Amino acid sequence: MTKEIHLAGGCFWGAQRFLQLIPGVTFTETGFANGDTPEPTYEQVYTDTTGYAETVRVQYDPAVVSLKFLLEMYFKAIDPLSLNKQGHDEGTRYRTGIYWSDPADEPVVREVAAAVSASLGAPLAVELEPLRNFFPADEYHQDYLVKHPSGYCHLPLELFEIARNAHQS
């Protein structure tokens, strides 16, 4: 049985590649979460007028990777203090967020976020909300860095090795 969480971490190309390398992640899909326009296109979301965040839908096997560990890995790949900006990408579509569809996940999400906030000594600029909606991006944006290994990515390459070698203790 798999579980699902939606993670917004700036540009979804790099976020998807990072997350899909974590052992226990069984499926990822780029798309747009928690906005206001029905069935948005990438071009619409890019205007920052739809309320959507570029997001990765992550399915994972909880027998291999816990939600807590997955979220701890996610926090390695974002600047959790940066509002509407990750790397060189700016705008509300690049905000960070954790969106759950299973209410049982909320306490874990809040616990991990509180621990990160305490370790940084500052409030986080990461949305923590139930998933209201998610629309997949078009095929061009799916597995972009697999199809274009030298394509744009705001994440440092060493993060991909960290994800590839991640094992919870």
Side-chain angles (χ1 to χ4, degrees), residues 8 24 48 75 103 108 113-114 134-135 149 160:
D48 277 342
F75 275 107
V108 177
F134 177 82
F135 295 96
F160 298 119

Side-chain angles (χ1 to χ4, degrees), residues 33-37 48-53 92 95 132:
N34 283 16
D36 306 315
T37 304
D48 277 342
T49 61
T50 64
Y52 285 96
T92 58
R95 70 187 181 271
R132 293 192 320 266

Side-chain angles (χ1 to χ4, degrees), residues 21-103:
L21 290 171
I22 298 170
V25 170
T26 59
F27 176 79
T28 60
E29 180 178 42
T30 59
F32 314 107
N34 283 16
D36 306 315
T37 304
E39 312 255 348
T41 64
Y42 179 80
E43 291 73 21
Q44 289 172 315
V45 173
Y46 198 82
T47 66
D48 277 342
T49 61
T50 64
Y52 285 96
E54 287 195 10
T55 302
V56 180
R57 178 169 73 117
V58 180
Q59 291 179 345
Y60 63 98
D61 180 347
V64 178
V65 62
S66 68
L67 178 58
K68 180 178 187 281
F69 185 79
L70 190 59
L71 294 176
E72 289 168 350
M73 291 298 295
Y74 161 78
F75 275 107
K76 291 180 186 301
I78 66 166
D79 175 352
L81 303 178
S82 181
L83 181 63
N84 300 329
K85 182 180 188 307
Q86 292 292 302
H88 297 295
D89 301 314
E90 294 187 50
T92 58
R93 68 191 173 278
Y94 296 122
R95 70 187 181 271
T96 53
I98 303 169
Y99 311 115
W100 60 87
S101 49
D102 180 350

Side-chain angles (χ1 to χ4, degrees), residues 104-119:
D105 291 341
E106 181 179 1
V108 177
V109 169
R110 295 200 182 278
E111 173 191 323
V112 172
V116 171
S117 179
S119 73

